[in-house]
Amino acid sequence: MRLFLHELRAQQLLFWRNREAAFFSFLFPIILLVLLGSVYGDDPIEGVDAATYLVAGLLGYGLAATAFASLAITLVVRREAGLLKRVRGTPLGAGTYLAAVIASMVIVIGLQAVAQLLIGRYLLDAAWPEAPASFAAAIALGAAAFAALGVAITALVRTAEGSSAVVNAIYLPMAFISGAFFSTREMPAFLEAISDVLPLTYLLDLIRATFIAGEGLGSSPGELAAVAAWGLLGLVVAIRMFRWEPREGITGA
């Protein structure tokens, strides 16, 4: 535990000192919330007022940006630089190191969620979650699922230079198609069909349900199972395919 806490502190320092990572993972979703919130109307969207709908969507977007995109890019860059390989030869241990990296991202997600809720409530007049416990559980489940998917996707990225392009090509379209910024009911049928299989779609449904009185995780068993299933798939792929050694120059990999 002592080594874990020491490494967690180090990972937090590394994250906040990396201005690009801190901006795009932490600040950018908050900036989007303020900008988009200024143009949204007051009409309800899918049973939720527009400001609250947007807050829930940006919470999911920010979570995916941190737990999936930022984590995957960080791990690929460190892998190709040989840092992950060297970690395995230290007293820290590979499992403890990876747990600290993921826990650091979870802390960022928690701070970001608090900031978005406060901005949404006091700047955009959005509602608080009607089911706070279910809201926290949805965020925790989403962070775990997307972290597993983030670790898994590193197996598909061969170079540090290509990590941002590959990861952004996956999660940015997913954010739009899943309805992070607007209702999916406005999209063409073929995009709705794609939306119906994306993990972020189900996470957004879970988060938005916690803002509606009388609803929560218990009222969304299908969405709950879908997010958990995606997380389990990511975990299986991560366990089987995650690499600690650089992939560049490896043939037959």
Side-chain angles (χ1 to χ4, degrees), residues 114-201:
V114 170
Q116 287 176 311
L117 285 175
L118 292 173
I119 290 173
R121 182 69 184 94
Y122 295 110
L123 184 62
L124 306 178
D125 200 29
W128 294 112
E130 292 285 348
S134 291
F135 171 78
I139 295 296
L141 175 63
F146 276 91
L149 291 169
V151 177
I153 203 68
T154 62
L156 302 180
V157 185
R158 299 189 65 89
T159 67
E161 292 79 5
S163 59
S164 293
V166 173
V167 173
N168 288 332
I170 295 172
Y171 103 94
L172 287 177
M174 178 175 64
F176 280 95
I177 297 174
S178 295
F181 312 114
F182 46 77
S183 173
T184 57
R185 294 175 184 176
E186 307 296 327
M187 297 191 306
F190 79 96
L191 287 181
E192 284 192 45
I194 296 174
S195 174
D196 287 341
V197 300
L198 296 176
L200 186 55
T201 299

Side-chain angles (χ1 to χ4, degrees), residues 238-251:
I239 291 174
R240 292 177 60 88
M241 301 185 66
F242 181 72
R243 292 176 178 269
W244 294 88
E245 299 81 11
R247 291 195 60 172
E248 286 189 280
I250 299 177
T251 58

Side-chain angles (χ1 to χ4, degrees), residues 39-247:
V39 299
Y40 262 56
D42 298 325
D43 296 333
I45 302 175
E46 298 183 15
V48 183
D49 73 88
T52 304
Y53 189 91
L54 180 62
V55 168
L58 267 296
L59 281 164
Y61 169 78
L63 187 153
T66 303
F68 177 76
S70 182
L71 177 62
I73 292 170
T74 296
L75 290 176
V76 170
V77 170
R78 293 179 183 179
R79 182 191 70 198
E80 296 307 311
L83 296 177
L84 296 188
K85 181 179 181 180
R86 289 197 287 271
V87 165
R88 302 183 74 181
T90 68
L92 177 62
T96 302
Y97 174 82
L98 191 56
V101 173
I102 294 174
S104 177
M105 295 297 179
V106 171
I107 291 174
V108 174
I109 290 169
L111 293 173
Q112 185 184 78
V114 170
Q116 287 176 311
L117 285 175
L118 292 173
I119 290 173
R121 182 69 184 94
Y122 295 110
L123 184 62
L124 306 178
D125 200 29
W128 294 112
E130 292 285 348
S134 291
F135 171 78
I139 295 296
L141 175 63
F146 276 91
L149 291 169
V151 177
I153 203 68
T154 62
L156 302 180
V157 185
R158 299 189 65 89
T159 67
E161 292 79 5
S163 59
S164 293
V166 173
V167 173
N168 288 332
I170 295 172
Y171 103 94
L172 287 177
M174 178 175 64
F176 280 95
I177 297 174
S178 295
F181 312 114
F182 46 77
S183 173
T184 57
R185 294 175 184 176
E186 307 296 327
M187 297 191 306
F190 79 96
L191 287 181
E192 284 192 45
I194 296 174
S195 174
D196 287 341
V197 300
L198 296 176
L200 186 55
T201 299
Y202 297 103
L203 177 61
L204 292 176
D205 288 343
L206 283 179
I207 294 174
R208 284 175 176 138
T210 67
F211 284 87
I212 301 174
E215 296 193 20
L217 297 188
S219 64
S220 308
E223 289 80 359
L224 188 64
V227 175
W230 272 104
L232 181 60
L233 175 63
L235 180 61
V236 171
V237 173
I239 291 174
R240 292 177 60 88
M241 301 185 66
F242 181 72
R243 292 176 178 269
W244 294 88
E245 299 81 11
R247 291 195 60 172

